[in-house]
Amino acid sequence: MENKLKEADWQETFRSLVTLATEGFKFCALANGGAAVAILAYLGDVAGRDGALPDLRCAMGSFLFGLFFCGCSMLFAYLTQLKRLNSLAEGKNTRGDWRLIVSLIFIFLSLSFFGIGSLSAVTSFR
């Protein structure tokens, strides 16, 4: 009985981790992509009024790098899961795949570039 409870708890924890990872990818893509679109909309509005345009190239570049690293992270997360599935099918050990570490580094970079871009955008306004 206790073994079944542990198995059920493990499965529910695994499902919640997958959900959290999916939401993390969505956040990184939406935050970086939304910020890039917002900058373009703002610059289009200011340019239409013949106003002085702030230099937002660094912020835009940071948000685009953030999107790029989010995509890289998703790719490596997919490769990690594919390798895990193949290992399970072959009855091999599924632990310790280096692709997971790479995916985590890329998602960290995506979040970091969002922060850098946000800070750069804020300091561009005077």
Side-chain angles (χ1 to χ4, degrees), residues 24-37 39 57-75 102-118:
F25 291 132
K26 287 179 186 178
F27 171 78
C28 286
L30 182 63
N32 283 298
V37 169
I39 286 177
R57 289 178 291 179
C58 183
M60 179 63 92
S62 293
F63 295 135
L64 294 178
F65 274 118
L67 272 174
F68 172 75
F69 285 122
C70 179
C72 289
S73 181
M74 290 177 67
L75 172 66
V102 172
S103 182
L104 290 171
I105 290 169
F106 281 146
I107 205 71
F108 175 78
L109 286 171
S110 178
L111 288 169
S112 297
F113 274 105
F114 175 73
I116 292 167
S118 298

Side-chain angles (χ1 to χ4, degrees), residues 4-36:
K4 286 184 181 183
L5 288 174
K6 281 185 178 181
E7 179 68 22
D9 185 46
W10 185 90
Q11 287 178 354
E12 190 57 37
T13 301
F14 180 74
R15 282 189 203 107
S16 69
L17 283 172
V18 170
T19 300
L20 285 169
T22 302
E23 295 303 316
F25 291 132
K26 287 179 186 178
F27 171 78
C28 286
L30 182 63
N32 283 298

